[in-house]
Amino acid sequence: MSSGTIVACLWQPEQELLEHLRQHLHESVTLLVPDNEEEETLLKIVPEAEVIIGWRPQEKVLNAAKKLQLFINPGVGVKQLIPLFTQLTKERNIALVNDHGNTYLTAQHTVALLMSLMSRIVPHHQYMLEGKWRTGDEEIASISMRGCTVGLLGYGAINSKVHRFLSGFDMQFAALRNSWPEKVEGLTPFETHQLDAFLQHIDVLIIAVPHTTKTEGMIGAGELKLLGEQGLLLNVSRGAVVEEEALYTALKNNTIAGAAIDVWYNYQPEPDEDGRKFPSAFPFYELDNIVLSPHRGASPMKDLMRWNDSIENINRFAVGNSNFLNVVDLEREY
């Protein structure tokens, strides 16, 4: 076995990605790739690994990785890993990091959803499919971006990019996060305890916070009422941050003006009698003031630049630098 850094993959990367990784990883890195993703196969390659990269690791596999020092989750969401790594790190010194490489694409998708929602692209597209030519504002009018205040709930890797992408428009910006270690130009800052004031201050709410015990159900009926009848909501974080029934009711009753949703509530929906699958207990698809997106903000998945953070962290480990990117705070759950 190589005396350099051993990195084990928990899946079979496609050849293009494999070549990209090998081209950009430090020369001392040996990349172990399994023939399949069966537990028995993974148990054979992880014992020598100092770094493991993959999604949803099995506890038995991690226990077999006796030399493991760094685990890389190649995505942003880590809630499902918190209990496992909380227990594991009581016994071993293992760093858990995630990869923010898909946040550019998610921010791009967020802006696209906002534009579609405000310009009413989807209903007018449907009108044209039905042969209704040049329906006007009497049916559904666009919402002007000019003068709107965009509220960024969370100001991490996604919403900071959304702010940058939208900053060329004639809009104002506010953001809410736990704390503000430094001032951000062009932004009115709010802290977590100021949620009500934040919601009353803004016109558009863009949610990009991690899913934790503290953020689950953070936006409910009361918060949606504060957003107001002209308010718009976009959620690209996790469905559970917004109470499901409260959101449906607010849209149906026009408590808020509209929403665009990329994250949902049931990711294994049972098909109805017509074979259709809907990821919610409520018929959001019947509403005309919502843009529906099937959790595809990170598309295209084959974008190689999304692996930059993972590559950087492996290379830092290979040269003895433990100052990793995107280290997960297990107590904060992100």
Short mmCIF file of all heavy atoms in Angstrom, two decimals, residues 66-127:
data_model
loop_
_atom_site.label_atom_id
_atom_site.label_comp_id
_atom_site.label_asym_id
_atom_site.label_seq_id
_atom_site.Cartn_x
_atom_site.Cartn_y
_atom_site.Cartn_z
N LYS A 66 -10.34 2.25 10.64
CA LYS A 66 -9.63 2.56 11.88
C LYS A 66 -8.67 3.74 11.74
O LYS A 66 -8.32 4.38 12.73
CB LYS A 66 -8.86 1.32 12.36
CG LYS A 66 -9.74 0.11 12.65
CD LYS A 66 -10.75 0.39 13.76
CE LYS A 66 -11.57 -0.85 14.09
NZ LYS A 66 -12.59 -0.59 15.14
N LYS A 67 -8.22 4.04 10.54
CA LYS A 67 -7.27 5.13 10.32
C LYS A 67 -7.95 6.43 9.89
O LYS A 67 -7.29 7.42 9.60
CB LYS A 67 -6.23 4.73 9.28
CG LYS A 67 -5.36 3.55 9.70
CD LYS A 67 -4.30 3.25 8.65
CE LYS A 67 -3.42 2.08 9.08
NZ LYS A 67 -2.37 1.79 8.07
N LEU A 68 -9.27 6.43 9.84
CA LEU A 68 -10.02 7.57 9.31
C LEU A 68 -9.79 8.83 10.14
O LEU A 68 -9.92 8.82 11.36
CB LEU A 68 -11.52 7.24 9.28
CG LEU A 68 -12.45 8.34 8.78
CD1 LEU A 68 -12.15 8.68 7.32
CD2 LEU A 68 -13.91 7.91 8.93
N GLN A 69 -9.45 9.92 9.46
CA GLN A 69 -9.28 11.22 10.12
C GLN A 69 -10.17 12.30 9.52
O GLN A 69 -10.45 13.30 10.18
CB GLN A 69 -7.82 11.66 10.02
CG GLN A 69 -6.83 10.73 10.70
CD GLN A 69 -5.40 11.19 10.52
OE1 GLN A 69 -5.07 12.35 10.77
NE2 GLN A 69 -4.55 10.29 10.06
N LEU A 70 -10.58 12.10 8.27
CA LEU A 70 -11.39 13.12 7.57
C LEU A 70 -12.47 12.44 6.76
O LEU A 70 -12.17 11.58 5.92
CB LEU A 70 -10.49 13.97 6.65
CG LEU A 70 -11.19 14.99 5.75
CD1 LEU A 70 -11.87 16.07 6.57
CD2 LEU A 70 -10.19 15.62 4.77
N PHE A 71 -13.73 12.83 7.01
CA PHE A 71 -14.84 12.34 6.19
C PHE A 71 -15.43 13.51 5.43
O PHE A 71 -15.79 14.54 6.02
CB PHE A 71 -15.93 11.67 7.04
CG PHE A 71 -16.99 11.02 6.20
CD1 PHE A 71 -16.89 9.69 5.85
CD2 PHE A 71 -18.08 11.75 5.72
CE1 PHE A 71 -17.85 9.09 5.05
CE2 PHE A 71 -19.04 11.16 4.92
CZ PHE A 71 -18.92 9.83 4.58
N ILE A 72 -15.57 13.34 4.11
CA ILE A 72 -16.08 14.39 3.24
C ILE A 72 -17.46 13.99 2.71
O ILE A 72 -17.59 12.99 2.01
CB ILE A 72 -15.13 14.67 2.06
CG1 ILE A 72 -13.75 15.08 2.58
CG2 ILE A 72 -15.70 15.73 1.14
CD1 ILE A 72 -12.71 15.24 1.49
N ASN A 73 -18.46 14.78 3.05
CA ASN A 73 -19.79 14.62 2.48
C ASN A 73 -19.85 15.52 1.25
O ASN A 73 -19.75 16.74 1.37
CB ASN A 73 -20.86 15.03 3.49
CG ASN A 73 -22.25 15.01 2.90
OD1 ASN A 73 -22.70 13.98 2.43
ND2 ASN A 73 -22.93 16.14 2.90
N PRO A 74 -20.02 14.97 0.04
CA PRO A 74 -19.93 15.78 -1.17
C PRO A 74 -21.19 16.59 -1.47
O PRO A 74 -21.57 16.78 -2.62
CB PRO A 74 -19.68 14.75 -2.29
CG PRO A 74 -19.56 13.43 -1.62
CD PRO A 74 -20.19 13.56 -0.28
N GLY A 75 -21.86 17.05 -0.45
CA GLY A 75 -23.03 17.88 -0.59
C GLY A 75 -23.12 18.80 0.61
O GLY A 75 -22.27 18.75 1.50
N VAL A 76 -24.16 19.63 0.66
CA VAL A 76 -24.27 20.60 1.74
C VAL A 76 -24.99 20.01 2.96
O VAL A 76 -24.56 20.21 4.10
CB VAL A 76 -25.01 21.86 1.25
CG1 VAL A 76 -25.22 22.84 2.39
CG2 VAL A 76 -24.23 22.53 0.12
N GLY A 77 -26.08 19.28 2.74
CA GLY A 77 -26.89 18.79 3.85
C GLY A 77 -26.20 17.69 4.64
O GLY A 77 -25.73 16.70 4.07
N VAL A 78 -26.15 17.85 5.96
CA VAL A 78 -25.49 16.85 6.81
C VAL A 78 -26.35 16.39 7.98
O VAL A 78 -25.88 15.66 8.85
CB VAL A 78 -24.15 17.40 7.36
CG1 VAL A 78 -23.13 17.58 6.25
CG2 VAL A 78 -24.36 18.69 8.14
N LYS A 79 -27.61 16.81 8.03
CA LYS A 79 -28.45 16.48 9.19
C LYS A 79 -28.46 14.98 9.46
O LYS A 79 -28.42 14.55 10.62
CB LYS A 79 -29.88 16.99 8.99
CG LYS A 79 -30.78 16.73 10.20
CD LYS A 79 -32.15 17.35 10.03
CE LYS A 79 -33.06 16.99 11.19
NZ LYS A 79 -32.54 17.40 12.49
N GLN A 80 -28.52 14.17 8.40
CA GLN A 80 -28.60 12.73 8.58
C GLN A 80 -27.31 12.15 9.16
O GLN A 80 -27.29 11.02 9.68
CB GLN A 80 -28.93 12.04 7.25
CG GLN A 80 -27.78 11.98 6.24
CD GLN A 80 -27.58 13.29 5.49
OE1 GLN A 80 -28.29 14.26 5.72
NE2 GLN A 80 -26.64 13.31 4.55
N LEU A 81 -26.21 12.91 9.10
CA LEU A 81 -24.93 12.41 9.60
C LEU A 81 -24.64 12.83 11.04
O LEU A 81 -23.72 12.28 11.67
CB LEU A 81 -23.79 12.95 8.71
CG LEU A 81 -23.83 12.56 7.23
CD1 LEU A 81 -22.66 13.19 6.50
CD2 LEU A 81 -23.80 11.05 7.06
N ILE A 82 -25.38 13.79 11.57
CA ILE A 82 -25.06 14.36 12.88
C ILE A 82 -25.07 13.31 13.99
O ILE A 82 -24.10 13.21 14.76
CB ILE A 82 -26.00 15.53 13.20
CG1 ILE A 82 -25.81 16.67 12.17
CG2 ILE A 82 -25.74 16.04 14.62
CD1 ILE A 82 -24.42 17.25 12.12
N PRO A 83 -26.13 12.49 14.16
CA PRO A 83 -26.12 11.51 15.26
C PRO A 83 -24.95 10.54 15.18
O PRO A 83 -24.30 10.25 16.19
CB PRO A 83 -27.47 10.80 15.10
CG PRO A 83 -28.33 11.74 14.35
CD PRO A 83 -27.40 12.46 13.41
N LEU A 84 -24.68 10.04 13.96
CA LEU A 84 -23.62 9.06 13.78
C LEU A 84 -22.25 9.65 14.13
O LEU A 84 -21.46 9.04 14.87
CB LEU A 84 -23.64 8.54 12.34
CG LEU A 84 -22.52 7.57 11.94
CD1 LEU A 84 -22.53 6.34 12.83
CD2 LEU A 84 -22.70 7.17 10.47
N PHE A 85 -21.97 10.85 13.63
CA PHE A 85 -20.64 11.43 13.86
C PHE A 85 -20.51 12.01 15.26
O PHE A 85 -19.40 12.07 15.80
CB PHE A 85 -20.33 12.46 12.78
CG PHE A 85 -19.78 11.85 11.54
CD1 PHE A 85 -20.63 11.39 10.55
CD2 PHE A 85 -18.42 11.70 11.36
CE1 PHE A 85 -20.13 10.80 9.40
CE2 PHE A 85 -17.90 11.11 10.22
CZ PHE A 85 -18.76 10.66 9.23
N THR A 86 -21.62 12.40 15.86
CA THR A 86 -21.56 12.83 17.25
C THR A 86 -21.09 11.70 18.13
O THR A 86 -20.24 11.87 19.02
CB THR A 86 -22.93 13.34 17.73
OG1 THR A 86 -23.32 14.47 16.94
CG2 THR A 86 -22.89 13.74 19.19
N GLN A 87 -21.60 10.51 17.89
CA GLN A 87 -21.18 9.34 18.66
C GLN A 87 -19.75 8.94 18.30
O GLN A 87 -18.93 8.64 19.18
CB GLN A 87 -22.13 8.17 18.38
CG GLN A 87 -21.79 6.89 19.12
CD GLN A 87 -21.81 7.06 20.63
OE1 GLN A 87 -22.67 7.77 21.16
NE2 GLN A 87 -20.87 6.43 21.33
N LEU A 88 -19.44 8.99 17.02
CA LEU A 88 -18.12 8.55 16.56
C LEU A 88 -17.00 9.42 17.09
O LEU A 88 -15.93 8.94 17.48
CB LEU A 88 -18.12 8.55 15.02
CG LEU A 88 -17.05 7.73 14.31
CD1 LEU A 88 -17.24 6.25 14.63
CD2 LEU A 88 -17.14 7.95 12.80
N THR A 89 -17.24 10.73 17.12
CA THR A 89 -16.18 11.65 17.54
C THR A 89 -15.98 11.67 19.06
O THR A 89 -15.03 12.28 19.55
CB THR A 89 -16.47 13.08 17.05
OG1 THR A 89 -17.78 13.47 17.46
CG2 THR A 89 -16.37 13.16 15.54
N LYS A 90 -16.87 11.02 19.80
CA LYS A 90 -16.62 10.85 21.23
C LYS A 90 -15.46 9.88 21.47
O LYS A 90 -14.79 9.93 22.49
CB LYS A 90 -17.89 10.33 21.92
CG LYS A 90 -19.02 11.34 22.02
CD LYS A 90 -20.22 10.73 22.70
CE LYS A 90 -21.38 11.74 22.79
NZ LYS A 90 -22.59 11.14 23.42
N GLU A 91 -15.26 9.02 20.50
CA GLU A 91 -14.24 7.98 20.63
C GLU A 91 -13.01 8.24 19.76
O GLU A 91 -11.91 7.81 20.10
CB GLU A 91 -14.87 6.63 20.24
CG GLU A 91 -16.16 6.31 20.99
CD GLU A 91 -17.00 5.27 20.28
OE1 GLU A 91 -16.56 4.79 19.22
OE2 GLU A 91 -18.10 4.95 20.78
N ARG A 92 -13.19 8.97 18.67
CA ARG A 92 -12.10 9.16 17.71
C ARG A 92 -12.09 10.60 17.22
O ARG A 92 -13.11 11.27 17.17
CB ARG A 92 -12.29 8.20 16.52
CG ARG A 92 -12.33 6.75 16.93
CD ARG A 92 -12.97 5.88 15.86
NE ARG A 92 -12.23 5.90 14.62
CZ ARG A 92 -12.64 5.28 13.51
NH1 ARG A 92 -13.80 4.64 13.50
NH2 ARG A 92 -11.93 5.34 12.41
N ASN A 93 -10.93 11.06 16.83
CA ASN A 93 -10.76 12.42 16.33
C ASN A 93 -10.94 12.43 14.82
O ASN A 93 -9.98 12.26 14.06
CB ASN A 93 -9.38 12.96 16.72
CG ASN A 93 -9.20 14.41 16.31
OD1 ASN A 93 -10.18 15.14 16.14
ND2 ASN A 93 -7.97 14.83 16.14
N ILE A 94 -12.17 12.63 14.38
CA ILE A 94 -12.50 12.62 12.96
C ILE A 94 -13.17 13.94 12.60
O ILE A 94 -14.12 14.36 13.26
CB ILE A 94 -13.44 11.45 12.60
CG1 ILE A 94 -12.78 10.11 12.95
CG2 ILE A 94 -13.83 11.50 11.12
CD1 ILE A 94 -13.71 8.93 12.78
N ALA A 95 -12.67 14.58 11.57
CA ALA A 95 -13.28 15.82 11.09
C ALA A 95 -14.34 15.48 10.04
O ALA A 95 -14.08 14.69 9.13
CB ALA A 95 -12.23 16.74 10.50
N LEU A 96 -15.51 16.09 10.17
CA LEU A 96 -16.58 15.95 9.18
C LEU A 96 -16.69 17.27 8.43
O LEU A 96 -16.85 18.33 9.04
CB LEU A 96 -17.91 15.62 9.87
CG LEU A 96 -19.17 15.67 9.00
CD1 LEU A 96 -19.11 14.61 7.90
CD2 LEU A 96 -20.43 15.48 9.87
N VAL A 97 -16.58 17.22 7.11
CA VAL A 97 -16.73 18.42 6.29
C VAL A 97 -17.76 18.15 5.20
O VAL A 97 -18.02 17.00 4.85
CB VAL A 97 -15.39 18.86 5.65
CG1 VAL A 97 -14.32 19.12 6.71
CG2 VAL A 97 -14.88 17.82 4.64
N ASN A 98 -18.34 19.22 4.68
CA ASN A 98 -19.21 19.07 3.52
C ASN A 98 -18.64 19.88 2.36
O ASN A 98 -17.61 20.54 2.49
CB ASN A 98 -20.66 19.43 3.83
CG ASN A 98 -20.83 20.83 4.37
OD1 ASN A 98 -19.93 21.67 4.29
ND2 ASN A 98 -21.99 21.11 4.93
N ASP A 99 -19.29 19.78 1.23
CA ASP A 99 -18.79 20.40 0.01
C ASP A 99 -19.79 21.43 -0.47
O ASP A 99 -20.95 21.12 -0.70
CB ASP A 99 -18.58 19.33 -1.07
CG ASP A 99 -17.77 19.84 -2.25
OD1 ASP A 99 -18.00 20.99 -2.66
OD2 ASP A 99 -16.93 19.09 -2.77
N HIS A 100 -19.34 22.68 -0.59
CA HIS A 100 -20.22 23.75 -1.04
C HIS A 100 -20.16 23.95 -2.55
O HIS A 100 -20.60 24.98 -3.05
CB HIS A 100 -19.86 25.05 -0.32
CG HIS A 100 -20.22 25.04 1.13
ND1 HIS A 100 -19.90 26.07 1.99
CD2 HIS A 100 -20.89 24.13 1.89
CE1 HIS A 100 -20.34 25.80 3.21
NE2 HIS A 100 -20.95 24.62 3.16
N GLY A 101 -19.64 22.96 -3.27
CA GLY A 101 -19.47 23.11 -4.71
C GLY A 101 -20.76 23.26 -5.49
O GLY A 101 -20.77 23.82 -6.58
N ASN A 102 -21.87 22.74 -4.94
CA ASN A 102 -23.15 22.86 -5.66
C ASN A 102 -23.90 24.14 -5.33
O ASN A 102 -24.98 24.37 -5.84
CB ASN A 102 -24.03 21.64 -5.37
CG ASN A 102 -24.48 21.56 -3.92
OD1 ASN A 102 -24.10 22.39 -3.09
ND2 ASN A 102 -25.28 20.55 -3.61
N THR A 103 -23.32 24.99 -4.48
CA THR A 103 -24.05 26.18 -4.05
C THR A 103 -24.17 27.22 -5.16
O THR A 103 -25.12 27.98 -5.19
CB THR A 103 -23.42 26.80 -2.80
OG1 THR A 103 -22.05 27.16 -3.08
CG2 THR A 103 -23.46 25.83 -1.64
N TYR A 104 -23.21 27.27 -6.06
CA TYR A 104 -23.30 28.20 -7.20
C TYR A 104 -24.52 27.84 -8.04
O TYR A 104 -25.33 28.71 -8.41
CB TYR A 104 -22.03 28.16 -8.04
CG TYR A 104 -22.00 29.20 -9.15
CD1 TYR A 104 -21.30 30.39 -9.00
CD2 TYR A 104 -22.69 28.99 -10.35
CE1 TYR A 104 -21.27 31.34 -10.00
CE2 TYR A 104 -22.68 29.94 -11.36
CZ TYR A 104 -21.96 31.11 -11.18
OH TYR A 104 -21.96 32.06 -12.18
N LEU A 105 -24.65 26.55 -8.34
CA LEU A 105 -25.76 26.10 -9.17
C LEU A 105 -27.09 26.28 -8.45
O LEU A 105 -28.10 26.65 -9.06
CB LEU A 105 -25.55 24.63 -9.54
CG LEU A 105 -24.34 24.37 -10.43
CD1 LEU A 105 -24.01 22.89 -10.47
CD2 LEU A 105 -24.57 24.90 -11.84
N THR A 106 -27.10 26.04 -7.15
CA THR A 106 -28.32 26.23 -6.37
C THR A 106 -28.72 27.70 -6.33
O THR A 106 -29.91 28.04 -6.43
CB THR A 106 -28.16 25.67 -4.95
OG1 THR A 106 -27.79 24.29 -5.03
CG2 THR A 106 -29.44 25.81 -4.15
N ALA A 107 -27.73 28.58 -6.18
CA ALA A 107 -28.02 30.01 -6.21
C ALA A 107 -28.55 30.44 -7.57
O ALA A 107 -29.48 31.25 -7.67
CB ALA A 107 -26.77 30.80 -5.85
N GLN A 108 -27.98 29.89 -8.62
CA GLN A 108 -28.47 30.17 -9.99
C GLN A 108 -29.93 29.74 -10.12
O GLN A 108 -30.77 30.48 -10.66
CB GLN A 108 -27.61 29.42 -11.00
CG GLN A 108 -28.15 29.44 -12.43
CD GLN A 108 -27.36 28.53 -13.36
OE1 GLN A 108 -26.14 28.57 -13.38
NE2 GLN A 108 -28.06 27.69 -14.11
N HIS A 109 -30.23 28.55 -9.61
CA HIS A 109 -31.59 28.03 -9.69
C HIS A 109 -32.55 28.89 -8.86
O HIS A 109 -33.69 29.14 -9.27
CB HIS A 109 -31.60 26.59 -9.18
CG HIS A 109 -32.86 25.85 -9.48
ND1 HIS A 109 -33.25 25.51 -10.75
CD2 HIS A 109 -33.84 25.37 -8.65
CE1 HIS A 109 -34.40 24.85 -10.72
NE2 HIS A 109 -34.77 24.76 -9.45
N THR A 110 -32.08 29.38 -7.74
CA THR A 110 -32.90 30.24 -6.90
C THR A 110 -33.29 31.52 -7.62
O THR A 110 -34.46 31.94 -7.59
CB THR A 110 -32.13 30.60 -5.61
OG1 THR A 110 -31.75 29.40 -4.94
CG2 THR A 110 -32.97 31.46 -4.69
N VAL A 111 -32.34 32.13 -8.30
CA VAL A 111 -32.61 33.34 -9.05
C VAL A 111 -33.60 33.05 -10.19
O VAL A 111 -34.52 33.82 -10.45
CB VAL A 111 -31.31 33.97 -9.59
CG1 VAL A 111 -31.60 35.12 -10.54
CG2 VAL A 111 -30.44 34.44 -8.43
N ALA A 112 -33.42 31.89 -10.85
CA ALA A 112 -34.34 31.51 -11.92
C ALA A 112 -35.76 31.32 -11.39
O ALA A 112 -36.74 31.73 -12.03
CB ALA A 112 -33.84 30.22 -12.59
N LEU A 113 -35.89 30.69 -10.24
CA LEU A 113 -37.20 30.52 -9.63
C LEU A 113 -37.84 31.87 -9.29
O LEU A 113 -39.04 32.08 -9.51
CB LEU A 113 -37.10 29.66 -8.37
CG LEU A 113 -36.79 28.18 -8.55
CD1 LEU A 113 -36.57 27.52 -7.18
CD2 LEU A 113 -37.91 27.48 -9.29
N LEU A 114 -37.04 32.77 -8.76
CA LEU A 114 -37.55 34.10 -8.41
C LEU A 114 -38.05 34.83 -9.66
O LEU A 114 -39.14 35.41 -9.66
CB LEU A 114 -36.47 34.91 -7.71
CG LEU A 114 -36.86 36.35 -7.34
CD1 LEU A 114 -38.01 36.36 -6.35
CD2 LEU A 114 -35.65 37.10 -6.78
N MET A 115 -37.26 34.81 -10.71
CA MET A 115 -37.64 35.47 -11.96
C MET A 115 -38.93 34.86 -12.52
O MET A 115 -39.83 35.57 -12.96
CB MET A 115 -36.52 35.33 -12.99
CG MET A 115 -35.21 35.96 -12.59
SD MET A 115 -35.29 37.75 -12.61
CE MET A 115 -33.55 38.13 -12.49
N SER A 116 -39.00 33.54 -12.50
CA SER A 116 -40.18 32.86 -13.02
C SER A 116 -41.42 33.21 -12.21
O SER A 116 -42.49 33.46 -12.76
CB SER A 116 -39.95 31.35 -13.01
OG SER A 116 -41.08 30.66 -13.49
N LEU A 117 -41.26 33.25 -10.89
CA LEU A 117 -42.39 33.56 -10.02
C LEU A 117 -42.87 34.99 -10.23
O LEU A 117 -44.07 35.25 -10.36
CB LEU A 117 -41.97 33.34 -8.56
CG LEU A 117 -43.03 33.63 -7.49
CD1 LEU A 117 -44.23 32.70 -7.64
CD2 LEU A 117 -42.41 33.49 -6.10
N MET A 118 -41.93 35.93 -10.28
CA MET A 118 -42.32 37.34 -10.37
C MET A 118 -42.82 37.71 -11.76
O MET A 118 -43.69 38.58 -11.91
CB MET A 118 -41.16 38.23 -9.96
CG MET A 118 -40.73 38.02 -8.51
SD MET A 118 -39.51 39.21 -7.90
CE MET A 118 -40.57 40.63 -7.55
N SER A 119 -42.30 37.05 -12.79
CA SER A 119 -42.76 37.33 -14.15
C SER A 119 -43.89 36.42 -14.60
O SER A 119 -44.34 36.50 -15.74
CB SER A 119 -41.57 37.22 -15.13
OG SER A 119 -40.64 38.24 -14.89
N ARG A 120 -44.32 35.53 -13.72
CA ARG A 120 -45.47 34.65 -13.97
C ARG A 120 -45.26 33.82 -15.25
O ARG A 120 -46.18 33.65 -16.07
CB ARG A 120 -46.76 35.46 -14.08
CG ARG A 120 -47.08 36.30 -12.84
CD ARG A 120 -47.12 35.48 -11.58
NE ARG A 120 -47.79 36.18 -10.49
CZ ARG A 120 -47.79 35.76 -9.23
NH1 ARG A 120 -47.12 34.67 -8.92
NH2 ARG A 120 -48.44 36.43 -8.30
N ILE A 121 -44.05 33.30 -15.39
CA ILE A 121 -43.71 32.54 -16.60
C ILE A 121 -44.56 31.28 -16.74
O ILE A 121 -45.07 30.98 -17.83
CB ILE A 121 -42.21 32.15 -16.57
CG1 ILE A 121 -41.32 33.39 -16.52
CG2 ILE A 121 -41.87 31.26 -17.75
CD1 ILE A 121 -41.42 34.28 -17.73
N VAL A 122 -44.72 30.54 -15.65
CA VAL A 122 -45.39 29.23 -15.74
C VAL A 122 -46.85 29.35 -16.17
O VAL A 122 -47.28 28.67 -17.12
CB VAL A 122 -45.25 28.46 -14.42
CG1 VAL A 122 -46.06 27.16 -14.46
CG2 VAL A 122 -43.78 28.15 -14.14
N PRO A 123 -47.69 30.18 -15.54
CA PRO A 123 -49.08 30.24 -15.99
C PRO A 123 -49.24 30.76 -17.42
O PRO A 123 -50.12 30.28 -18.17
CB PRO A 123 -49.76 31.17 -14.98
CG PRO A 123 -48.65 31.88 -14.28
CD PRO A 123 -47.48 30.97 -14.32
N HIS A 124 -48.40 31.70 -17.82
CA HIS A 124 -48.52 32.20 -19.20
C HIS A 124 -48.00 31.17 -20.21
O HIS A 124 -48.51 31.09 -21.34
CB HIS A 124 -47.79 33.54 -19.34
CG HIS A 124 -48.58 34.67 -18.74
ND1 HIS A 124 -49.61 35.29 -19.41
CD2 HIS A 124 -48.53 35.26 -17.52
CE1 HIS A 124 -50.14 36.23 -18.64
NE2 HIS A 124 -49.50 36.22 -17.48
N HIS A 125 -47.01 30.38 -19.82
CA HIS A 125 -46.60 29.24 -20.64
C HIS A 125 -47.78 28.29 -20.81
O HIS A 125 -48.06 27.81 -21.92
CB HIS A 125 -45.43 28.53 -19.96
CG HIS A 125 -45.07 27.21 -20.57
ND1 HIS A 125 -44.30 27.10 -21.70
CD2 HIS A 125 -45.39 25.94 -20.21
CE1 HIS A 125 -44.14 25.82 -22.01
NE2 HIS A 125 -44.81 25.10 -21.12
N GLN A 126 -48.50 28.03 -19.72
CA GLN A 126 -49.64 27.13 -19.78
C GLN A 126 -50.74 27.70 -20.67
O GLN A 126 -51.38 26.97 -21.43
CB GLN A 126 -50.18 26.86 -18.37
CG GLN A 126 -51.27 25.80 -18.30
CD GLN A 126 -50.78 24.45 -18.77
OE1 GLN A 126 -49.65 24.05 -18.49
NE2 GLN A 126 -51.64 23.74 -19.50
N TYR A 127 -50.97 29.02 -20.58
CA TYR A 127 -51.96 29.65 -21.46
C TYR A 127 -51.63 29.38 -22.93
O TYR A 127 -52.51 29.06 -23.74
CB TYR A 127 -52.00 31.16 -21.23
CG TYR A 127 -52.64 31.60 -19.94
CD1 TYR A 127 -52.26 32.80 -19.34
CD2 TYR A 127 -53.64 30.85 -19.33
CE1 TYR A 127 -52.83 33.22 -18.15
CE2 TYR A 127 -54.22 31.27 -18.14
CZ TYR A 127 -53.82 32.46 -17.56
OH TYR A 127 -54.38 32.87 -16.39
#
